[in-house]
Amino acid sequence: MTEKPKFAMCWAASCGGCEIAVLNIGEKILDVDTNFDVVFWPVAMDAKYKDVEAMADGSITLTLFNGSIRNSENEEIARLLRRKSKILVAFGSCACEGCIPGLANLSPVDELIDTAFSTVSTDPVNGNRPRTSVTVPDGDLHLPELYPVVRPLSSVVSVDYFMPGCPPESHQIAAVIDLVIKAIQGEAELPASGATIGAGGSTVCDECSRTRAVKKIKAFTRIQELEEVDPDLCLLEQGIPCNGPATRSGCGALCPSAGAQCIGCYGHADGVIDFGARLMTAFASVIDSEDPEEIDHILDTLPDPAGQFYRFSLAGSLLGAARSAWEAR
Amino acid sequence: MIAPISGGAGMSGNGGRPRIGVYVCHCGSNIAGTVDVTELRTWVERRLAARGVVVARDYKFMCSSLGQDLIAKDIAEHRLDRVVVAACSPHLHEATFRTACRRAGLNPYLCELASIREQVSWVHTDTASATEKAKAVVSGAVERVARNAPLETLRVPVHPATLVVGGGIAGIQAALEIAEAGHPVYLVERDPSIGGHMAQFDKTFPTLDCSACILTPRMVSAGSHENITLLTWSEVERVDGYVGNFTATIRKKARYVDIDQCTGCGICQEKCPKRVIDNVYEAGLGYRKAIYTPFPQAVPKYPVIDQPNCTYFIKGKCRACEKFCPTGAISFEQEDEFVTIDVGNIVLATGYDLFDPRRVTQYGYGRLANVFSSLEFERMTNSAGPTNGEIVLRDGRTKPTSVGIIHCVGSRDRNYNNYCSSICCMQSLKFAHLVKERTGATVYNFYIDMRTPAKAYDEFYQRVLEEGTLFVRGKVAEVTDAARGPGEEGKLIIQTEDTLAGRQRRIPVDMVVLSAALEPRKDSSEVAKRFGISCSHDGWFIEKHPKLDPVATMTEGVFIAGCATGPKDIPATVAQGAAAAARVLGYIQQGEIEMEPIRAQVIVERCSGCRICNDLCPFNAIDFIADRGVTEINPALCQGCGTCVAACPAGAIEGTGFSNEQVVAQIDGLLLRNLEPTAVEPALV
Amino acid sequence: MTMTKEPKTFEPVIVGFTCNWCSYRAADLAGTARIKYPPNVRLIRLMCSGRLDPTFVLRAFAGGADGVLVTGCHPGECHYLEQNYKTLRRVRLLQRTVHAFDIEPDRLRLVWASAAEGVRLAREIEDMVEAVRALGPLDWGNRPIRQEAIHEMTGGVDDAPVEEPVGVGGRP
Amino acid sequence: MQRITIDPITRLEGHGKIEIFLNEDGNVANTYFQIPELRGFERFCVGRPVEEMPLLTNRICGVCPEAHHMAAAKAGDAVYGVEPPRPAKLLRELLYSGFYFTDHTTHFYALAGPDFVMGPEAPVAERNILGIIHKVGVEVGGKVIQARKHGHAIVEMIGGRKVHPCTAIPGGLTKGITEAQRNEILAMGEWAVEFAQFSLGLFNDVVLGNEAYVDLILGDIYRHETYYMGMVDAAGKVNFYDGRVRVMGPDGTALGDYAPHEYTEWIAERAEPWTYLKFPYLKKVGWKGFVDGKDSGVYCATPLSRLNAADGMATPRAQEEYERFYTTLAGDTPAGAKPIVHHRLATHWARLVELLYSAERIVELASDPDITSPDVHTVPTEVPTEGVGIVEAPRGTLTHHYSTDERGVLTRVNLIVGTTNNYAPISMSIKKAAESLITGGEVVTEGMLNKVEMAFRAYDPCFGCATHSLPGRMPLEVTIRDATGAPVEVLRQYC
């Protein structure tokens, strides 16, 4: 019989949640094993980086890539797997748009290090800071240099599919694996290149069971400051800055159904270039005032616009990073 | 770097790379004088070929028939599916070139104008930088047009009836024109009678023919016309729907007179014991009864009971009118009544309010007895008026020996209104003439500038000059009765600067007439909102285009005429009434209306029903379909502003004609990002 | 250190958004009246300032614009009645947001200009060009951004052969 | 001088990179365990609203997000000086116990287990969960998967999501649980208790029943006499969610204990220029370098540490195991001192004791009448200022410290992540393992690689989050270079 299609899963800078999500698909894992020849999956198996280099270009059928690009090594692996893979999937929020760690792009990388090494509990002892090359009594030691900004996978290589979520929901992962297997067996069509898979085409409100009326907001409220959160009414209408309206559907509106605002981990909907732009315009639209001063007062109740609008998508946004971060180094 | 806008799927309907023709107009030397058109054309050829440009030409006058033929020829020969004309502002020639394209078999919306005249050659001087900017502008237009979709204009049926709001001469004119053409009209007037301000005048400048003589026949035929439903003592409460299909709700205020019984004999008015100062028609100079028709020639002839002033309504007894009415038409139980009507078009001719001269305290109106407002003076000179046409002081007897007429009261004055009320000069000249004619008094006209532009106006000015009226050029500082010398005793002294003589003057007179400004109706902004149109900051209704479309508004099917759009004399007002009627008739004639296909549209499968957009449309075009949990947009109500498109957090609303694709591509084109290669590891398959 | 890369006199590029009814006509008027202003601004016509999607502004900055000028009808004079108020709210929020990206307030301005205010518009443009010139280049043009954003917008790369365009000057 | 580089290529937040320098005699001169990555949460959390911290810091680690979620929520409570209602506290701890149950299960069966069940010398391919299944029967595999499912189910019910929960906010939670959910959890809890006992049984048979392993555990390779840290409740018993942090001396006499807000008096962090991670140590004792003993501020925060620091376990069965643990391993303890176990490999046993505790705790909490109360949030009334939140992460005491402006927007953030506590001891264990296995430049065997790995896997380090996965291993590459630096031999494992 002909050999099985090859499967790879790899991460760059990520937290491991995506891997856990994949493991949480339970029995489906076995389908992967029966239908694919798993050639590279460092967390799960004996994988030789060099073996991948040795493979023919395009010989891996499906590669799930999670994590963002934070250093040269991340980029190297990304480019290698792009060359070796027929279908490269940006898997999870980090790979798709940078995720929470992308917020680092609001400050220059040196500031990140300085801050981490000047906390209240850190010894000021000879103001030690990590250096990329340092000589110790026993010899020289090297640390990889951090890139000035976090970047999503697609800013380094072209990506065939995007699978959003922090992490992607297990049932969605299972569905995608099913689809690919069917496609390989010629029983199904793969979506057009560049498409987003394992998610809905609309936004979270579509899956949210909360009732909605016409929105008019005189002030945004912080969830912990609300005496009584109405369990059935749209959170945004209660003044809670919920990202649901702009966030792609697919999770099943988990957070809103748990009484917490959507924080936007599934990224933007189809055809959108910049998540923040969509959410910004949505919030601006529901502000109930035409008086410049009052508008400013209302906007003051949103203490952190950049963080609110780009919580997950900053690295993948049109601006990508603050100017000071871009210009660092 | 930003990846280039690539051709292909997203770009042109026919798939693959579009075939764009670019035409650079010299506009004689208007453009070519500043922009190096040859350099521009060759740059387009060289750099934009990869973007789909297959033909680039420059030509002396693209808008000429030869220029248009040039495009038509290329569309055929080079199978162009897109056209960019780099010329003047789209507001000038977009229609021209789109029509040219349509004639050549290309959908007109696949043609874009790049304004390199108004926005480049006319505003910049340095050829090099102007040419560079022109390149960017054209590049932007090329990227945009590549993503234009062929569009078809929307068509909606037109209800043949028309609502005319305002029974002044403008409204009457419009109503008659439409009715004469054989279509039903509802003429709504808030006062008891139609006629408006014109009914209060005696003579009309410059011909001095009697106002009543020319107006009354019009009022009568409007009142009796089989196609006109007169709704006086009525106001429009609300308006729904859209062009061709409006529904208006009208409040018919209680008249307390059953017009089916009333013959208009007038006995009730004789018998009514209650006299009321008539502040409206008689400008406070005369009296009327508590049951009244505003003036003898009123149309309709039925009176109304002035409820707040009627003894019965105050004290609960009297009912004199009821007692004496031969037909038992009086009915105190009457209540406001609401009627809803369906109409296809609306004409707003709501007129103006007169500036209250009390506001200019230094002129003493209301304080100094013999200072009169222009309207008071109109009534005084009216043979049917309170003084039977006698020009006398407040005492009602003494003829003035000297009269001062002050122009521009409340106009051309930054404290009140910056604009010129346009009729005051002629009105003041008319007053001067009437004073001379009827009293032989010395007349002074105090003016800032004399404005007599229209037909036979300046001749009238010359005539008044010859009659010996004295003209003092300068703004009057004050009117006072504080005499400084024997000559001023018991007189009104007009303190003014004589800018021709170059000195201050004090001129004692017996009577002062203030030519008050015309102002927008107090409630003009509410009215505008009700009809979905807008007002300028000083309160006049805004026309769709001040020159090219003066009687249309941004809201299709709602037209404006007369002083509601700004001060006008009677001829201009009548002309506008007729013009509005003509526009309405045009629509009715077509049976359906073509609407610009620039509209917003919901991609239902992307709509999450978040309802962010629901409150954004002032035209109520956005509906939430509760059972399906999605929002939809009514294309007929949508005016195409695109606010909801920009607001949709899901990117689920498309803006036809101004899609994100088009605008973003244009931005990239303007910034010349479209000339760059991409820099990522490409996909394999 | 960005400055050193720039020519002596830095010529900022400003993208301007105009509404079809007021500010674009103001620009036309400036033209017909031959009022001069610096060529650094490139205008885009929208039907209404309410059409201004924050994406447009961000795209302009990301695409290399040093400044963005948003213009519309005066409050209360919007040809679509009240849409420019929505623009006002959007731009205010946008200004707060881009601040976190170190984009100075002067680089994103909102100006009301009626169809009659050609001079005013020209002066506003002049003023902004100078303000941005003083701030120096924003230099976002060469930053790597998410590629599929463009993918989504414009479809895949088209490799149809490029045809030599016909170019003829003067008479046909 | 020779240099050996052990460079795991699997990367997560600060994955490990080990440099071993040999002297001319071919003996270990020194080892450096480098963390070559930093993400800068301390910086970019500044400017964010404090209520977002439980959601943002979740993303520090996808394996133990619950720990950060809780620490952040507690810091949030402290910032507002607000006391969550009792039901909210119970629910938070219940969620947390569910998480502990999953996490400890995963670690024992996927990582530690194989080392013992299969043996450190067993072939690579067998030393994983599948190996265990083959050896002790298929049903184990099923049980392990079941255990992870139950744990995640509890987390999802209370936390709203399986990974990266979202319900904890300053003052409590956004939601409670229903009666039906309580019963479900109760059932899972009872199952969990059995499973934990089964696991201890397995450990007892396979490991303690095997001389070689007992020697390995009690051997000197993995023994350090350091201080130990762990959170204890009012009764001095181990608690994961709340209490005071107790510091136990190597000799079994307590150095003292502290409330969260006092942590800066107790903990300081040493920065070295050759790594992106800092070395926390006991301020009161001081930094003496990578050495153990009573005079060195180096401390350890692991399941073993928690047992060493506490007087016992708060649940009956776990308490029994606790006692058995010390009678078996502690040996003779000086009078008045608390029995202490210094053998790092004993951590795996300690972890199973905690596994049983977490299971019993699930049952206890789920049985509490308050657990279904809808009263799960107190609205803060104080002006937010500053606060510290501490929980016991499976990998060590986790400290979040926030300062905010009057709007509750963060102005300063300090995080001491579980694993960081153990950075120094891990480095020491690695060095010790290397020393004991490399002598006279003797050619290193693959066993050695695994033993080095075992040295730090005992700590279950989070910068090896990779090693949490099924049926994972941390790939290592060792290059031996001669004095000139030229490679003599390269040994690889899984890379």
Side-chain angles (χ1 to χ4, degrees), chain A residues 11-17 19-21 23-24 26-27 40 42-50 70-71 73-74 77 99-101 103-104 106-107 111-113 115-123 125-126 128-132 134 136-146 166-167 169-170 222-227 254-255 257-261 263 265-266 300 303-304 306-308 311-312, chain D residues 1 3 9-13 15 17 19 21 29-30 32 34-44 47-52 55-56 59-63 80 124 145 148-149 152 156 160-164 166-167 169-170 174-175 263-264 267-278 281 377-380 401 407-409 412-414 416 465-466 469-473 475 477 492 494-495:
Chain A
W11 58 58
S14 68
C15 74
E19 251 70 22
I20 297 294
L23 295 169
N24 286 349
E27 301 70 27
F40 187 69
V43 287
M45 59 164 300
D46 167 0
K48 292 189 177 57
Y49 189 29
K50 305 234 169 347
R70 191 23 142 175
N71 61 28
E73 196 227 7
N74 302 147
I77 296 183
C99 195
I100 299 293
L103 287 170
L106 288 175
S107 14
E111 226 174 279
L112 301 180
I113 300 173
T115 311
F117 281 80
S118 55
T119 61
V120 280
S121 53
T122 311
D123 276 348
V125 180
N126 60 7
N128 271 336
R129 291 282 186 282
R131 296 197 293 275
T132 51
V134 54
V136 294
D138 313 280
D140 294 347
L141 293 172
H142 301 281
L143 282 174
E145 188 172 290
L146 303 176
C166 181
E169 280 302 304
S170 297
R222 316 267 291 273
I223 190 161
Q224 70 271 26
E225 293 168 0
L226 225 66
E227 273 302 338
L254 286 175
C255 298
S257 14
Q261 69 266 42
I263 57 174
C265 77
Y266 259 68
D300 288 341
D304 175 26
Q308 178 75 43
R311 198 179 284 119
F312 283 84
Chain D
M1 174 184 287
R3 157 186 286 203
I9 70 125
T10 50
R11 309 291 191 182
L12 278 184
E13 195 220 357
H15 45 272
K17 175 164 172 285
E19 294 274 358
F21 292 92
N30 209 346
Y32 293 86
Q34 297 176 272
I35 303 303
E37 219 171 273
L38 173 138
R39 288 197 279 170
F41 274 79
E42 290 91 342
R43 174 65 189 86
F44 68 71
R48 315 277 87 83
V50 66
E51 67 270 22
E52 289 194 11
L55 309 169
L56 301 183
R59 273 73 185 183
I60 289 174
C61 174
V63 178
Y80 279 101
V124 169
I145 291 172
R148 296 187 77 252
K149 272 194 177 163
H152 278 122
E156 188 173 19
R161 312 172 85 228
K162 275 198 212 64
V163 184
H164 300 323
C166 62
T167 53
I169 57 173
T174 59
K175 67 179 273 289
Y263 86 101
T264 47
I267 309 297
E269 294 175 285
R270 165 106 185 161
E272 291 291 344
W274 44 267
T275 177
Y276 282 116
L277 195 64
K278 293 175 286 184
Y281 65 91
H377 184 237
T378 310
V379 176
H401 177 193
R407 298 169 305 161
V409 172
R412 234 160 78 264
V413 172
N414 189 27
I416 302 177
C465 271
S469 39
L470 289 162
R473 266 294 181 286
E477 176 165 322
R492 284 205 209 85
Y494 313 116
C495 57

Side-chain angles (χ1 to χ4, degrees), chain B residues 280-294:
Chain B
V280 180
Y281 185 72
E282 292 297 1
L285 288 180
Y287 294 89
R288 59 166 171 79
K289 294 294 187 62
I291 181 168
Y292 71 103
T293 51

Side-chain angles (χ1 to χ4, degrees), chain B residues 26-27 29-35 87 115-125 130, chain C residues 31 34 36:
Chain B
H26 300 192
C27 195
S29 64
N30 278 310
I31 293 172
T34 315
V35 173
S115 173
I116 60 168
R117 191 180 74 173
E118 284 80 351
Q119 287 181 25
V120 180
S121 65
W122 277 354
V123 287
H124 307 320
T125 45
Chain C
R34 309 297 200 277
K36 303 291 179 242

